[in-house]
Amino acid sequence: MDFTFDDEQKALQDAVRELAARNAPAEAHGDVPVGPAAHDPKAWSAIAEMGLLALPFGEDVGGAGASTVEVAIAATELGRARVATAYAEALTAAGLIAFGGSDEQRAKLLPDLLDGTSLVVPAFAEPGRAWSLEAYDVTASGAGAGSPRSIRGSEAEEKLRGVQGDVTLTGTKEPVPYADAADKLVVTARVGDRTGLFLVDGATVSGMRVRLDNTPAVALGSVDDAARAIRAGVNLGILAVTAEALGAMDAALPMTVEYLKTRKQFGVPLAAFQTLTQRAADMYVSLELARSTVLYEGMALAADPYDATATSRAKVVIGQSGRHVGQEAIQLHGGIGMTAEYAVGHHTARLTAIEHTFGDTRWHLARLAGALDDHEQVDLLT
């Protein structure tokens, strides 16, 4: 498999790297708390103007007609510079609409989303529950003449198949990153014993918490198509965050090596101690494993956007590699790695957050194990 970039991909990489450098946070100018970053409208506008949101979508809906490999290239550069935007979330929402919406919904919604006019983010997670592609407590109901009533089973599916209006959602979604900056949400909700996709405008948002109280919604496509749409949309989001993590690792390693070369202990640079250089070499191995895994993931999704195996493999590798590189970067920097003014701590915080985004390492290991059909038993924890 050839992971070499062609001339157009190299040009895209250079352009995004320059854009990211212009919009990178300046941690050297005052305290910057480590933690979830607020949406940066200036960076968002720059990303939209360059067409990065449109990369993997067809030209018939306002896309650029590129591929998921280009998405990986762009997200890596954004992660390297720690640009704080809802890039992965917007791609996921666009993927849900592209793969799950009707022709009319795709034509109506995607152009504004892909050119950055509208910010739509997905709402999957529910408080008190582990990550799942299925909705649990958030339910869809049909509104009667008076009070709303729950609808179940085939009645619900019949009522919500391609429905325009007459649907409300009830429940809470949390955490929903960038919900407070979004114009609309794509929400998963129970429809009988299955999960449907709904477009919501007007939910009550408080930070990352979204409250739905008989909130009007519009079904995206049919319940029959929702499962495959969710898989494809989330695959796109996972590709974006794993590539972002690759960029964070690619930034943390050179910073660590440079520190080892310049910081002196007992009159000699830290790099003179073989144990420390060996630890840096191990970080390099983890980084290159992550790089080849993300590029493979991008190529696999370009061939099959529903390929959950490739994304779960990438999520596991990135989770393990990111934890290794981030923790080693902090330890080899000593106390300076924990200061708010130094970027390596922020990269590690983001790597930790990414490990728990769209399912953590254990969840994806379990999904990979569930796909095995030639083993009677698989024990992941020993």
Side-chain angles (χ1 to χ4, degrees), residues 67-88:
S67 79
T68 44
V69 175
E70 280 72 23
V71 171
I73 292 171
T76 300
E77 296 307 320
L78 297 176
R80 189 196 312 278
R82 296 194 300 107
V83 176
T85 69
Y87 187 55

Side-chain angles (χ1 to χ4, degrees), residues 23 53 81 85 87 111 123 128 135 164 183 186 193 198 202 206 238 241 252 291 301 313 320 336 347 349 372:
N23 292 278
L53 294 166
T85 69
Y87 187 55
Q164 303 296 317
D183 303 307
V186 178
D193 58 354
F198 300 88
S206 177
I238 290 175
V241 294
R291 192 189 312 279
L301 292 183
R313 286 173 178 167
Q320 295 171 340
I336 190 176
H347 281 303
L372 297 175

Side-chain angles (χ1 to χ4, degrees), residues 281-370:
D282 288 341
M283 291 171 64
Y284 176 77
V285 172
S286 290
L287 170 63
E288 291 307 307
L289 175 62
R291 192 189 312 279
S292 57
T293 301
V294 169
L295 290 176
Y296 173 80
E297 178 190 11
M299 297 170 74
L301 292 183
D304 178 10
Y306 302 100
D307 187 347
T309 301
T311 53
S312 281
R313 286 173 178 167
K315 199 66 169 58
V316 170
V317 171
I318 290 298
Q320 295 171 340
S321 299
R323 181 175 291 270
H324 174 226
V325 172
Q327 290 182 347
E328 284 292 79
I330 291 285
Q331 291 185 20
L332 291 176
H333 273 88
I336 190 176
M338 299 297 292
T339 60
E341 293 81 3
Y342 202 68
V344 71
H346 295 272
H347 281 303
T348 302
R350 184 57 186 150
L351 287 169
T352 303
I354 287 174
E355 184 183 358
H356 296 277
T357 301
F358 297 122
D360 62 12
T361 301
R362 287 169 60 97
W363 190 90
H364 285 279
L365 275 173
R367 184 161 80 166
L368 290 170

